Amino acid sequence: MKKLIVILILVLTSCSQKKEVDEVLPNIVYILADDMGYGDLSALNPNSGINTPNMDKIIAEGISFSDAHSNSSVCTPTRYGILTGRYAWRSRLKEGVLWGYDQPLIEENRETVASYLKSNGYNTACIGKWHLGLGWQAKDENKPIAKYEWAKVFNKGDDSNVDFSKRTSGPNSLGFDYSYIIPASLDMTPYLYLENEKVVELPTEYTEGKSEDVDGRGVIWRPGEVAPSFVFEDVLDNFTKKTVTYIEDQQQTDKPFFVYFPLTAPHTPWLPKSSVSGKSKAGRYGDFVTMVDNTVGEIMKTLEKTGQADNTLIIVTSDNGSHWKPEDKEQYAHRANYVFKGQKADIYEGGHRVPYIAKWPGKIKPGSSSTQIMCTTDLLATLSGIVGNPLLAEAGEDSYNMLPAYLNTSEKVQIRDYTIHHSLYGFFSIRKGKWKLTTKLGSGGFSLPVEVNEDENGNQASLYNLEEDIQETRNLYNENPKIVAELMNLLNSEKQ
């Protein structure tokens, strides 16, 4: 529940800024890296083994948020939260992620960032990794469409029962005027492109997949259906070119535009081009992050070349922490998740604390930084603050208007009263101010142990003071029963 005092602060602040931000609506480019950690950016991590000059330039000319979080520690639920302003655990997805053949997760008629901006005069585009389910149609309506999970793969000769010649429902059904996507992660079948919800090339061939045991750490994709001309190594470049073309084409219209650009990198498979090979000190993964930075640079260069940079808000963030394992830390000095505990999928800070940087000439003060606690669900309400048209009451229930933080006018008042985090296996955590309560022990994700009944001090859950213990090393759960009770009551009230 959003407290009255926070609402009043936002109303007063937004009223004083209304003329400033409403004179000309900005173009908006939202770049979502896939599994990129806070410590990957050289401007955020002095000891990063990766040079990221383009993202560093955004920080120098804009703002960086040091306490920003994805609403989940994995792909699908974070994407749901970004586009709807709603925690994904409120949807049918209570843990895990979707797969390439799954049906849409975002509910029909739910307001999205795209539908909101479209109704307010924007051209809208989604280019990149979708991973929110598609309305595939069956060849045989009496049989189910394929369902593939962690332990089940697509064997040669298997029939997905998908009629790939028929239109799906996906981004265009949710407010995007234009879309060019792959269904899910680049390691999940089917491997193909869809343009405006229609398959570009039928997946008439089969890939045997790649295995880390054979091809090395990070080089992995599952066997399955693939379009004949689909080249895994070219996917990131293809999406970049499509986005560049879209931005160039927007010069021909008087409308502002919104581009949601969810990348396929640096998620597995790690497939850096030869042009960046050896550019980092973090192996194949680090070189792939270099490609991400080059992609950001291409978008910035296009905006400059087309004369649209001065009226464009560009945001770069990540869907969760990096999948940087203990064995990666043993091999490289680089710390993809900076000093934070854990990794992608975990309830620990390393699972959901992400880089979040933005640039908006004339609005965001160059070289700004913010300690505001923010969440990726906040995009919808923040854009509503920019547009100046309030959301419907039922839209974006977990979204807060962070515009004052972008514009450095929020002072020291925390805009968010509290924030809820969620792990791969459905562990909950709640953050309020300096306190973070997690209802179970263990990572709830990829790090071991996944779940623990009780620690050596008799704690059965965890409470950390993140102001004093950012690495989550001292569990204060049994020492602070009043704080535990307050946070547990808040969490339970939201889950009802």
Side-chain angles (χ1 to χ4, degrees):
M1 183 180 296
K2 303 177 182 178
K3 302 299 185 183
L4 179 60
I5 187 171
V6 176
I7 295 173
L8 288 174
I9 290 168
L10 292 177
V11 168
L12 291 172
T13 306
S14 62
C15 286
S16 66
Q17 295 161 354
K18 185 172 178 57
K19 288 185 179 179
E20 178 186 359
V21 299
D22 279 1
E23 287 178 357
V24 179
L25 291 176
N27 306 311
I28 302 158
V29 178
Y30 188 95
I31 302 176
L32 183 67
D34 196 0
D35 291 5
M36 184 174 71
Y38 187 97
D40 287 332
L41 278 64
S42 46
L44 300 180
N45 178 8
N47 298 313
S48 176
I50 310 168
N51 187 27
T52 55
N54 295 300
M55 288 186 279
D56 292 356
K57 184 178 180 182
I58 291 178
I59 294 171
E61 297 179 354
I63 189 169
S64 63
F65 291 84
S66 60
D67 210 343
H69 301 261
S70 55
N71 55 280
S72 173
S73 298
V74 281
C75 301
T76 299
T78 289
R79 285 161 168 72
Y80 178 95
I82 288 169
L83 292 181
T84 67
R86 186 174 188 251
Y87 292 132
W89 49 264
R90 299 191 193 277
S91 75
R92 75 171 194 268
L93 188 69
K94 305 305 181 184
E95 62 178 73
V97 299
L98 295 190
W99 297 83
Y101 299 103
D102 285 341
Q103 291 298 301
L105 180 63
I106 297 178
E107 301 84 357
E108 288 184 27
N109 302 319
R110 181 168 297 285
E111 185 85 288
T112 67
V113 169
S115 64
Y116 172 79
L117 290 177
K118 183 175 181 178
S119 68
N120 282 278
Y122 275 77
N123 290 332
T124 57
C126 171
I127 301 170
K129 167 183 165 177
W130 183 236
H131 210 175
L132 282 164
L134 291 163
W136 299 112
Q137 297 188 52
K139 289 186 294 187
D140 184 346
E141 295 181 356
N142 296 314
K143 295 180 180 179
I145 288 174
K147 177 76 175 176
Y148 290 90
E149 301 176 351
W150 294 112
K152 184 177 180 181
V153 298
F154 196 107
N155 296 309
K156 195 167 187 177
D158 285 353
D159 183 7
S160 64
N161 194 35
V162 172
D163 188 341
F164 290 104
S165 67
K166 292 183 179 179
R167 185 172 182 138
T168 67
S169 58
N172 297 71
S173 305
L174 296 167
F176 287 102
D177 299 308
Y178 176 77
S179 66
Y180 190 86
I181 63 168
I182 59 171
S185 295
L186 193 52
D187 56 8
M188 293 180 178
T189 186
Y191 305 112
L192 49 80
Y193 295 104
L194 297 100
E195 187 167 29
N196 292 329
E197 301 182 342
K198 295 187 70 175
V199 171
V200 174
E201 182 183 29
L202 300 179
T204 56
E205 295 189 1
Y206 177 82
T207 173
E208 298 285 350
K210 290 279 187 177
S211 169
E212 287 187 313
D213 293 337
V214 176
D215 300 287
R217 166 80 171 112
V219 184
I220 179 174
W221 65 78
R222 296 166 177 82
E225 296 174 300
V226 62
S229 64
F230 191 92
V231 179
F232 290 81
E233 290 82 358
D234 291 341
V235 172
L236 181 60
D237 281 348
N238 287 342
F239 284 144
T240 302
K241 291 172 184 175
K242 284 285 184 181
T243 305
V244 165
T245 299
Y246 181 85
I247 292 173
E248 290 174 340
D249 290 345
Q250 294 308 298
Q251 297 175 92
Q252 311 304 319
T253 178
D254 293 331
K255 289 185 175 183
F257 65 84
F258 167 64
V259 180
Y260 170 57
F261 186 15
L263 311 183
T264 52
H267 191 291
T268 53
W270 298 343
L271 299 172
K273 290 293 187 73
S274 59
S275 58
V276 298
S277 181
K279 294 290 185 181
S280 77
K281 297 179 181 179
R284 186 183 286 116
Y285 170 85
D287 295 347
F288 210 22
V289 174
T290 299
M291 277 190 69
V292 169
D293 189 69
N294 289 346
T295 289
V296 173
E298 284 298 311
I299 302 306
M300 294 169 65
K301 184 169 64 176
T302 302
L303 291 168
E304 291 286 351
K305 183 181 66 175
T306 58
Q308 298 175 102
D310 286 345
N311 189 39
T312 297
L313 166 61
I314 182 170
I315 298 169
V316 182
T317 186
S318 180
D319 62 345
N320 44 249
S322 172
H323 195 187
W324 198 240
K325 296 182 178 181
E327 52 263 42
D328 298 316
K329 293 181 179 180
E330 292 178 4
Q331 187 172 1
Y332 302 102
H334 177 69
R335 295 294 178 263
N337 293 313
Y338 194 43
V339 299
F340 308 124
K341 183 179 181 178
Q343 58 175 309
K344 170 187 176 176
D346 296 350
I347 200 63
Y348 305 134
E349 291 293 288
H352 51 79
R353 190 178 290 229
V354 293
Y356 195 102
I357 61 178
K359 175 186 173 184
W360 187 7
K363 299 294 188 293
I364 294 176
K365 182 181 177 181
S368 299
S369 62
S370 176
T371 58
Q372 280 282 342
I373 301 169
M374 65 183 300
C375 182
T376 44
T377 56
D378 295 333
L379 180 64
L380 181 55
T382 301
L383 296 183
S384 173
I386 292 173
V387 171
N389 191 3
L391 297 170
L392 297 175
E394 63 271 18
E397 63 215 74
D398 302 307
S399 193
Y400 286 70
N401 180 5
M402 300 301 295
L403 181 59
Y406 284 73
L407 303 182
N408 205 24
T409 57
S410 60
E411 299 180 351
K412 295 183 179 180
V413 177
Q414 283 292 339
I415 297 172
R416 277 189 151 269
D417 187 32
Y418 51 86
T419 306
I420 297 174
H421 309 302
H422 206 227
S423 79
L424 172 67
Y425 294 121
F427 283 25
F428 279 97
S429 181
I430 182 168
R431 167 81 179 279
K432 183 177 182 182
K434 65 183 180 181
W435 295 106
K436 176 183 177 182
L437 171 76
T438 301
T439 58
K440 293 183 178 181
L441 294 177
S443 74
F446 290 154
S447 295
L448 299 177
V450 175
E451 186 171 358
V452 177
N453 292 327
E454 187 175 281
D455 68 14
E456 64 277 7
N457 296 316
N459 297 295
Q460 295 181 335
S462 68
L463 178 72
Y464 295 107
N465 180 341
L466 294 184
E467 283 186 2
E468 299 176 358
D469 183 21
I470 194 63
Q471 294 180 304
E472 301 173 278
T473 61
R474 186 183 174 206
N475 189 350
L476 305 175
Y477 183 83
N478 284 341
E479 299 176 29
N480 296 274
K482 289 184 179 180
I483 295 171
V484 168
E486 177 193 358
L487 294 178
M488 192 66 77
N489 287 337
L490 285 174
L491 178 58
N492 287 337
S493 68
E494 288 288 351
K495 290 166 62 179
Q496 288 177 355

